[in-house]
Amino acid sequence: MNHSKKPSQSFSLGANQLHAVLRVDQIRTDTLTQLVQHWAEPKDRDAIIDALDELAAVVTGVAREGELDAAIEQVEDACGMDTAQVEVSISDTRRLLAELTEVARRLGRFNPKAWLPGQRGAA
């Protein structure tokens, strides 16, 4: 369960409590917005459809090494997508650090040698 004050940009513990989950909804929003902006241009639509068809063929078939990455890159290029990144404010950075520290502390119970901030041997 995600107890963040801002679940759309948060760290939480996975359902099985054996991994962390990073949620950044803004990346999905930006990706879909960029796709639709270029889709609206008739001259770009055919290239986007071709790239999405190729990606669908790779995802539903048996992909060779590097084939998925290449198909995704082709869609990104056809849509003129920016790098998948978001700016994080100072207050959100502090909140995310606190969330990640708590997740790391809880995950550390399963691996006592795991690095946790403030522990002896921390870098």
Side-chain angles (χ1 to χ4, degrees):
M1 174 173 255
N2 191 329
H3 299 289
S4 177
K5 293 178 184 173
K6 189 174 179 181
S8 64
Q9 183 185 54
S10 61
F11 278 104
S12 61
L13 202 57
N16 64 5
Q17 299 198 7
L18 297 175
H19 64 274
V21 175
L22 171 61
R23 180 173 165 186
V24 187
D25 291 358
Q26 188 63 47
I27 292 174
R28 182 183 349 204
T29 299
D30 292 349
T31 299
L32 291 172
T33 300
Q34 290 170 15
L35 179 123
V36 171
Q37 284 172 337
H38 284 80
W39 185 275
E41 294 292 328
K43 64 181 177 31
D44 295 334
R45 187 173 296 140
D46 288 340
I48 294 170
I49 290 170
D50 291 343
L52 288 170
D53 284 343
E54 177 64 29
L55 177 59
V58 170
V59 168
T60 59
V62 179
R64 294 182 297 277
E65 185 176 344
E67 197 172 21
L68 179 60
D69 290 338
I72 289 172
E73 188 172 320
Q74 185 177 355
V75 171
E76 292 171 341
D77 290 345
C79 296
M81 291 183 178
D82 296 328
T83 302
Q85 62 184 22
V86 294
E87 291 183 9
V88 181
S89 68
I90 293 170
S91 60
D92 282 339
T93 299
R94 289 182 180 134
R95 178 186 50 76
L96 288 167
L97 176 60
E99 291 173 7
L100 180 57
T101 300
E102 175 60 19
V103 168
R105 184 189 67 75
R106 294 183 65 191
L107 290 175
R109 352 174 259 229
F110 301 110
N111 183 0
K113 294 181 181 179
W115 174 86
L116 290 174
Q119 286 186 337
R120 184 186 295 170

